[in-house]
Amino acid sequence: MSTVPVHLLVTDENHEHTLVAKDAEKLLFEDDLQCYNRGEFMTGAPKTSGGHGRDPHISSAATARTSQNVPSSSEGNATIAYKRSIEPVHSLDLFSAITIHGITRSRDACLTPVTLNRTQTFPAKLWRGSGSGKPSIWPERGMAARPIPPPSALHLELRIKERLGEGHMGTVYSTEVVSIIAADLSTNIDIPTLTSELPELCIKIASPIHCRALARDAWYYEQLDAAGLQGITIPRSYGLFSATLNDQNLRMKEWEDKMSEWFKKYDPERDILYDDQYGDDFIDDAKANHHLSPWHVWRAAKDDPWLVVLLLEKGGDSLKEEEYEANAQDIRTAIEDLSHAMVVHGDFRYTNLIRASRHAKMCPRHGRVHKWFFIDFELSLTGSFHILDLVRFQEDGMDEYHAGIGD
């Protein structure tokens, strides 16, 4: 059977590696990605799965195009495959699955790795403020979730190193790469070179009641990447992944003492997301990307917890209060980048700014390499306002926080 080359983008435009794809594979992923890049990505009708809503593992475009039953998450994605071209594959399209060592245990308490499949992110509604009479300004990139890569993409194996931090939504760990497997593809890739050229990675694990919020966080990484800010104002994202622990007979030991407390506070109809809480101030786009997302109807279940993970480039330490004044101008330029992308961070605090990695790229808007990356976008907003208004709004919020008013 003939083969065609596929190029992988590892850290930036200067690092390309070649894989060989099977000629027989379908090209729905290519079509999906082209539609997404044109802002035309359509979402399929919801499909219920186990009481949690439609399975986010399933490509919505593939769902819309097939009349037969779509495979469940345990079966992988619908029949889609790598884009056959000589163009580099984006970091968000590199991995279709990850295996993580060091966070889960078997029922008899032995440390056992868990495998998670790539999962759709959760599109936000547009924030238009109070009063529905104003015309809405929409981002040119659209509001759809990025199509998930096919099962033939790479499989990444990681090991937990150390806990980096813990917040209201989840926990972040640094990781080391154990292996990279070219699933369903020729293995003539130089795996050691690929492994060595990946930036250091970390994972953000949602608590079981905040999986939707992490899916929203991951969507903003996609949006800001589409605005050209990945590796400039934000860390590189490698996608959102999920698994149901019951399906693999696994448990998270560190969750066991917290589950009762978490679910005592959990209101399935009123999540922490702003467009859940203040619905009148938000509007879905014409293609109902928010409403038709499987995450819109997904609900946490204490007896069937999901493990949802966001894979990111690891940055440096968080900004310290005493470092703020010396770095305020650089932070303001990063706020300008977010505002031009129509994104309001929504949760400005020192811990949500981390030192940029050594792989940070030049910002074309400001002609400099930013010193700091913004992180944690689960409370962010896509604002239907003019750019200068968004800049002023965010700068005021930053100043208030630093002055101790907005903390």
mmCIF file of all heavy atoms in Angstrom, residues 329-358:
data_model
loop_
_atom_site.group_PDB
_atom_site.id
_atom_site.type_symbol
_atom_site.label_atom_id
_atom_site.label_comp_id
_atom_site.label_asym_id
_atom_site.label_seq_id
_atom_site.Cartn_x
_atom_site.Cartn_y
_atom_site.Cartn_z
ATOM 1 N N GLN A 329 4.414 46.763 33.098
ATOM 2 C CA GLN A 329 4.304 47.138 31.697
ATOM 3 C C GLN A 329 4.232 45.915 30.798
ATOM 4 O O GLN A 329 3.447 45.870 29.844
ATOM 5 C CB GLN A 329 5.479 48.029 31.279
ATOM 6 C CG GLN A 329 5.383 48.561 29.851
ATOM 7 C CD GLN A 329 4.069 49.301 29.581
ATOM 8 O OE1 GLN A 329 3.574 50.043 30.433
ATOM 9 N NE2 GLN A 329 3.494 49.096 28.399
ATOM 10 N N ASP A 330 5.043 44.911 31.100
ATOM 11 C CA ASP A 330 4.996 43.689 30.301
ATOM 12 C C ASP A 330 3.649 43.003 30.459
ATOM 13 O O ASP A 330 3.083 42.469 29.489
ATOM 14 C CB ASP A 330 6.123 42.742 30.728
ATOM 15 C CG ASP A 330 6.219 41.525 29.814
ATOM 16 O OD1 ASP A 330 6.548 41.699 28.630
ATOM 17 O OD2 ASP A 330 5.938 40.406 30.280
ATOM 18 N N ILE A 331 3.092 43.021 31.666
ATOM 19 C CA ILE A 331 1.786 42.420 31.899
ATOM 20 C C ILE A 331 0.703 43.186 31.146
ATOM 21 O O ILE A 331 -0.225 42.592 30.574
ATOM 22 C CB ILE A 331 1.485 42.371 33.407
ATOM 23 C CG1 ILE A 331 2.485 41.444 34.108
ATOM 24 C CG2 ILE A 331 0.060 41.897 33.668
ATOM 25 C CD1 ILE A 331 2.453 41.543 35.615
ATOM 26 N N ARG A 332 0.819 44.499 31.097
ATOM 27 C CA ARG A 332 -0.156 45.300 30.352
ATOM 28 C C ARG A 332 -0.129 44.980 28.856
ATOM 29 O O ARG A 332 -1.166 44.960 28.194
ATOM 30 C CB ARG A 332 0.093 46.792 30.584
ATOM 31 C CG ARG A 332 -0.265 47.249 31.990
ATOM 32 C CD ARG A 332 0.039 48.727 32.190
ATOM 33 N NE ARG A 332 -0.148 49.109 33.583
ATOM 34 C CZ ARG A 332 -1.316 49.426 34.130
ATOM 35 N NH1 ARG A 332 -2.406 49.421 33.371
ATOM 36 N NH2 ARG A 332 -1.406 49.738 35.400
ATOM 37 N N THR A 333 1.054 44.753 28.315
ATOM 38 C CA THR A 333 1.121 44.400 26.890
ATOM 39 C C THR A 333 0.490 43.033 26.643
ATOM 40 O O THR A 333 -0.150 42.815 25.607
ATOM 41 C CB THR A 333 2.569 44.418 26.377
ATOM 42 O OG1 THR A 333 3.369 43.509 27.137
ATOM 43 C CG2 THR A 333 3.165 45.814 26.468
ATOM 44 N N ALA A 334 0.645 42.119 27.603
ATOM 45 C CA ALA A 334 -0.016 40.816 27.476
ATOM 46 C C ALA A 334 -1.536 40.972 27.555
ATOM 47 O O ALA A 334 -2.282 40.278 26.851
ATOM 48 C CB ALA A 334 0.490 39.861 28.561
ATOM 49 N N ILE A 335 -2.001 41.888 28.394
ATOM 50 C CA ILE A 335 -3.437 42.180 28.462
ATOM 51 C C ILE A 335 -3.928 42.732 27.127
ATOM 52 O O ILE A 335 -5.029 42.401 26.675
ATOM 53 C CB ILE A 335 -3.724 43.173 29.610
ATOM 54 C CG1 ILE A 335 -3.643 42.450 30.957
ATOM 55 C CG2 ILE A 335 -5.089 43.833 29.444
ATOM 56 C CD1 ILE A 335 -3.810 43.358 32.154
ATOM 57 N N GLU A 336 -3.131 43.551 26.469
ATOM 58 C CA GLU A 336 -3.498 44.044 25.142
ATOM 59 C C GLU A 336 -3.669 42.882 24.161
ATOM 60 O O GLU A 336 -4.593 42.884 23.341
ATOM 61 C CB GLU A 336 -2.437 45.018 24.626
ATOM 62 C CG GLU A 336 -2.403 46.345 25.360
ATOM 63 C CD GLU A 336 -1.288 47.246 24.844
ATOM 64 O OE1 GLU A 336 -0.646 46.893 23.821
ATOM 65 O OE2 GLU A 336 -1.044 48.290 25.475
ATOM 66 N N ASP A 337 -2.775 41.881 24.264
ATOM 67 C CA ASP A 337 -2.897 40.710 23.389
ATOM 68 C C ASP A 337 -4.226 39.994 23.624
ATOM 69 O O ASP A 337 -4.935 39.644 22.668
ATOM 70 C CB ASP A 337 -1.742 39.737 23.648
ATOM 71 C CG ASP A 337 -0.403 40.271 23.157
ATOM 72 O OD1 ASP A 337 -0.405 41.164 22.291
ATOM 73 O OD2 ASP A 337 0.638 39.791 23.645
ATOM 74 N N LEU A 338 -4.570 39.763 24.883
ATOM 75 C CA LEU A 338 -5.839 39.110 25.194
ATOM 76 C C LEU A 338 -7.019 39.929 24.678
ATOM 77 O O LEU A 338 -7.979 39.386 24.120
ATOM 78 C CB LEU A 338 -5.979 38.908 26.698
ATOM 79 C CG LEU A 338 -4.992 37.975 27.412
ATOM 80 C CD1 LEU A 338 -5.352 37.874 28.896
ATOM 81 C CD2 LEU A 338 -4.970 36.600 26.783
ATOM 82 N N SER A 339 -6.956 41.237 24.870
ATOM 83 C CA SER A 339 -8.062 42.109 24.474
ATOM 84 C C SER A 339 -8.256 42.123 22.966
ATOM 85 O O SER A 339 -9.391 42.145 22.482
ATOM 86 C CB SER A 339 -7.817 43.531 25.001
ATOM 87 O OG SER A 339 -7.726 43.541 26.408
ATOM 88 N N HIS A 340 -7.170 42.115 22.216
ATOM 89 C CA HIS A 340 -7.285 42.052 20.759
ATOM 90 C C HIS A 340 -7.897 40.727 20.318
ATOM 91 O O HIS A 340 -8.480 40.648 19.220
ATOM 92 C CB HIS A 340 -5.925 42.265 20.106
ATOM 93 C CG HIS A 340 -5.562 43.706 19.957
ATOM 94 N ND1 HIS A 340 -5.876 44.454 18.847
ATOM 95 C CD2 HIS A 340 -4.923 44.552 20.803
ATOM 96 C CE1 HIS A 340 -5.439 45.697 19.003
ATOM 97 N NE2 HIS A 340 -4.851 45.790 20.186
ATOM 98 N N ALA A 341 -7.782 39.706 21.141
ATOM 99 C CA ALA A 341 -8.430 38.423 20.864
ATOM 100 C C ALA A 341 -9.855 38.387 21.414
ATOM 101 O O ALA A 341 -10.506 37.342 21.363
ATOM 102 C CB ALA A 341 -7.611 37.283 21.462
ATOM 103 N N MET A 342 -10.339 39.519 21.968
ATOM 104 C CA MET A 342 -11.680 39.657 22.548
ATOM 105 C C MET A 342 -11.861 38.784 23.796
ATOM 106 O O MET A 342 -12.971 38.378 24.129
ATOM 107 C CB MET A 342 -12.764 39.328 21.514
ATOM 108 C CG MET A 342 -12.798 40.290 20.339
ATOM 109 S SD MET A 342 -14.073 39.876 19.117
ATOM 110 C CE MET A 342 -15.571 40.095 20.078
ATOM 111 N N VAL A 343 -10.771 38.496 24.497
ATOM 112 C CA VAL A 343 -10.818 37.654 25.688
ATOM 113 C C VAL A 343 -10.531 38.502 26.923
ATOM 114 O O VAL A 343 -9.542 39.230 26.969
ATOM 115 C CB VAL A 343 -9.807 36.493 25.594
ATOM 116 C CG1 VAL A 343 -9.691 35.750 26.928
ATOM 117 C CG2 VAL A 343 -10.220 35.527 24.483
ATOM 118 N N VAL A 344 -11.409 38.404 27.901
ATOM 119 C CA VAL A 344 -11.211 38.999 29.223
ATOM 120 C C VAL A 344 -10.833 37.867 30.164
ATOM 121 O O VAL A 344 -11.574 36.886 30.290
ATOM 122 C CB VAL A 344 -12.497 39.693 29.729
ATOM 123 C CG1 VAL A 344 -12.319 40.189 31.158
ATOM 124 C CG2 VAL A 344 -12.871 40.841 28.798
ATOM 125 N N HIS A 345 -9.683 37.979 30.814
ATOM 126 C CA HIS A 345 -9.214 36.861 31.632
ATOM 127 C C HIS A 345 -10.211 36.506 32.721
ATOM 128 O O HIS A 345 -10.518 35.330 32.954
ATOM 129 C CB HIS A 345 -7.840 37.156 32.238
ATOM 130 C CG HIS A 345 -7.251 35.976 32.948
ATOM 131 N ND1 HIS A 345 -7.554 35.671 34.257
ATOM 132 C CD2 HIS A 345 -6.409 35.007 32.519
ATOM 133 C CE1 HIS A 345 -6.914 34.569 34.608
ATOM 134 N NE2 HIS A 345 -6.212 34.148 33.572
ATOM 135 N N GLY A 346 -10.721 37.494 33.436
ATOM 136 C CA GLY A 346 -11.791 37.262 34.394
ATOM 137 C C GLY A 346 -11.353 36.836 35.779
ATOM 138 O O GLY A 346 -12.173 36.769 36.701
ATOM 139 N N ASP A 347 -10.065 36.518 35.973
ATOM 140 C CA ASP A 347 -9.594 36.061 37.284
ATOM 141 C C ASP A 347 -8.153 36.495 37.486
ATOM 142 O O ASP A 347 -7.267 35.671 37.727
ATOM 143 C CB ASP A 347 -9.733 34.533 37.383
ATOM 144 C CG ASP A 347 -9.511 34.018 38.805
ATOM 145 O OD1 ASP A 347 -9.664 34.809 39.758
ATOM 146 O OD2 ASP A 347 -9.175 32.825 38.963
ATOM 147 N N PHE A 348 -7.926 37.807 37.381
ATOM 148 C CA PHE A 348 -6.553 38.301 37.511
ATOM 149 C C PHE A 348 -6.083 38.150 38.954
ATOM 150 O O PHE A 348 -6.691 38.656 39.884
ATOM 151 C CB PHE A 348 -6.439 39.760 37.081
ATOM 152 C CG PHE A 348 -5.015 40.262 37.183
ATOM 153 C CD1 PHE A 348 -4.134 40.061 36.141
ATOM 154 C CD2 PHE A 348 -4.561 40.872 38.339
ATOM 155 C CE1 PHE A 348 -2.816 40.478 36.248
ATOM 156 C CE2 PHE A 348 -3.255 41.301 38.447
ATOM 157 C CZ PHE A 348 -2.379 41.099 37.406
ATOM 158 N N ARG A 349 -4.989 37.434 39.105
ATOM 159 C CA ARG A 349 -4.296 37.309 40.382
ATOM 160 C C ARG A 349 -2.867 36.874 40.084
ATOM 161 O O ARG A 349 -2.577 36.367 39.003
ATOM 162 C CB ARG A 349 -5.007 36.322 41.314
ATOM 163 C CG ARG A 349 -5.126 34.913 40.780
ATOM 164 C CD ARG A 349 -5.926 34.032 41.742
ATOM 165 N NE ARG A 349 -7.332 34.393 41.734
ATOM 166 C CZ ARG A 349 -8.153 34.221 42.762
ATOM 167 N NH1 ARG A 349 -7.683 33.715 43.881
ATOM 168 N NH2 ARG A 349 -9.428 34.551 42.673
ATOM 169 N N TYR A 350 -1.992 37.076 41.032
ATOM 170 C CA TYR A 350 -0.581 36.792 40.784
ATOM 171 C C TYR A 350 -0.347 35.334 40.381
ATOM 172 O O TYR A 350 0.490 35.043 39.528
ATOM 173 C CB TYR A 350 0.257 37.127 42.022
ATOM 174 C CG TYR A 350 0.137 38.554 42.489
ATOM 175 C CD1 TYR A 350 -0.109 38.849 43.825
ATOM 176 C CD2 TYR A 350 0.254 39.618 41.589
ATOM 177 C CE1 TYR A 350 -0.234 40.159 44.257
ATOM 178 C CE2 TYR A 350 0.129 40.924 42.003
ATOM 179 C CZ TYR A 350 -0.117 41.199 43.345
ATOM 180 O OH TYR A 350 -0.249 42.499 43.762
ATOM 181 N N THR A 351 -1.091 34.413 41.005
ATOM 182 C CA THR A 351 -0.872 32.990 40.709
ATOM 183 C C THR A 351 -1.310 32.607 39.304
ATOM 184 O O THR A 351 -0.965 31.508 38.837
ATOM 185 C CB THR A 351 -1.628 32.115 41.730
ATOM 186 O OG1 THR A 351 -3.000 32.517 41.775
ATOM 187 C CG2 THR A 351 -1.015 32.256 43.121
ATOM 188 N N ASN A 352 -2.059 33.470 38.606
ATOM 189 C CA ASN A 352 -2.477 33.181 37.245
ATOM 190 C C ASN A 352 -1.560 33.806 36.200
ATOM 191 O O ASN A 352 -1.897 33.848 35.010
ATOM 192 C CB ASN A 352 -3.919 33.629 37.024
ATOM 193 C CG ASN A 352 -4.902 32.716 37.724
ATOM 194 O OD1 ASN A 352 -4.563 31.589 38.066
ATOM 195 N ND2 ASN A 352 -6.114 33.192 37.944
ATOM 196 N N LEU A 353 -0.414 34.261 36.645
ATOM 197 C CA LEU A 353 0.669 34.696 35.758
ATOM 198 C C LEU A 353 1.909 33.900 36.120
ATOM 199 O O LEU A 353 2.349 33.903 37.278
ATOM 200 C CB LEU A 353 0.945 36.188 35.919
ATOM 201 C CG LEU A 353 -0.012 37.137 35.193
ATOM 202 C CD1 LEU A 353 0.046 38.522 35.806
ATOM 203 C CD2 LEU A 353 0.341 37.195 33.708
ATOM 204 N N ILE A 354 2.446 33.178 35.144
ATOM 205 C CA ILE A 354 3.655 32.396 35.392
ATOM 206 C C ILE A 354 4.763 32.871 34.457
ATOM 207 O O ILE A 354 4.503 33.411 33.377
ATOM 208 C CB ILE A 354 3.412 30.891 35.193
ATOM 209 C CG1 ILE A 354 2.965 30.584 33.756
ATOM 210 C CG2 ILE A 354 2.391 30.375 36.201
ATOM 211 C CD1 ILE A 354 2.904 29.097 33.439
ATOM 212 N N ARG A 355 5.991 32.679 34.894
ATOM 213 C CA ARG A 355 7.122 33.104 34.067
ATOM 214 C C ARG A 355 7.132 32.303 32.768
ATOM 215 O O ARG A 355 6.959 31.081 32.775
ATOM 216 C CB ARG A 355 8.425 32.898 34.846
ATOM 217 C CG ARG A 355 9.606 33.653 34.260
ATOM 218 C CD ARG A 355 10.797 33.603 35.193
ATOM 219 N NE ARG A 355 10.542 34.314 36.454
ATOM 220 C CZ ARG A 355 10.677 35.628 36.595
ATOM 221 N NH1 ARG A 355 11.029 36.377 35.553
ATOM 222 N NH2 ARG A 355 10.453 36.191 37.765
ATOM 223 N N ALA A 356 7.292 32.991 31.652
ATOM 224 C CA ALA A 356 7.278 32.342 30.346
ATOM 225 C C ALA A 356 8.416 31.335 30.229
ATOM 226 O O ALA A 356 9.494 31.522 30.807
ATOM 227 C CB ALA A 356 7.374 33.384 29.237
ATOM 228 N N SER A 357 8.172 30.273 29.481
ATOM 229 C CA SER A 357 9.201 29.245 29.308
ATOM 230 C C SER A 357 10.294 29.744 28.357
ATOM 231 O O SER A 357 10.144 30.763 27.676
ATOM 232 C CB SER A 357 8.577 27.969 28.741
ATOM 233 O OG SER A 357 8.337 28.102 27.349
ATOM 234 N N ARG A 358 11.364 28.974 28.284
ATOM 235 C CA ARG A 358 12.468 29.345 27.382
ATOM 236 C C ARG A 358 12.071 29.179 25.914
ATOM 237 O O ARG A 358 12.795 29.635 25.026
ATOM 238 C CB ARG A 358 13.704 28.506 27.692
ATOM 239 C CG ARG A 358 13.533 27.018 27.470
ATOM 240 C CD ARG A 358 14.770 26.252 27.908
ATOM 241 N NE ARG A 358 14.621 24.812 27.714
ATOM 242 C CZ ARG A 358 14.910 24.189 26.576
ATOM 243 N NH1 ARG A 358 15.338 24.879 25.516
ATOM 244 N NH2 ARG A 358 14.767 22.882 26.476
#
